[in-house]
Amino acid sequence: MPVEPLSRTEIEARLGELPGWTLDGDRLTRTYRLGSHMAAAAMVVHVARVQDKLDHHSDLTLGYHTVSLSVHTHSAGGAVTEKDLELARRVADLAPAHGAH
């Protein structure tokens, strides 16, 4: 079943439920700051597991004290879809356990 792109209005409304997440061009993006490099690395592993469960993967970047994500749906022509919002929601839910803000 193909996934449908969401309108900019719908995306912006839904981002109100995801503090810190933004629409950057055709992607949802967020950078989290953590207390240490090891905390950031642990969060990357946790996010990777969630992505595998969803079978939907972001560009995921580990920095010294940061974790950055950028996601859109390739099968929808590179647009933002419900799949992207679900991944963002799950990451937002797990981030506090890693001390991310």
Side-chain angles (χ1 to χ4, degrees), residues 35-69:
S36 69
H37 182 68
M38 288 305 294
M43 183 171 164
V44 166
V45 171
H46 197 170
V47 170
R49 287 183 181 141
V50 169
Q51 292 181 142
D52 277 351
K53 284 181 185 176
L54 292 175
D55 193 27
H56 189 60
H57 300 83
S58 68
D59 290 336
L60 182 58
T61 305
L62 171 63
Y64 182 62
H65 285 152
T66 60
V67 174
S68 298
L69 296 95

Side-chain angles (χ1 to χ4, degrees), residues 78-96:
V80 173
T81 68
E82 187 63 41
K83 291 174 78 169
D84 304 305
L85 288 165
E86 176 62 15
L87 176 58
R89 184 192 63 75
R90 291 197 187 195
V91 171
D93 288 349
L94 70 83

Side-chain angles (χ1 to χ4, degrees), residues 1-4 75:
M1 173 188 298
V3 289
E4 296 297 319
S75 63

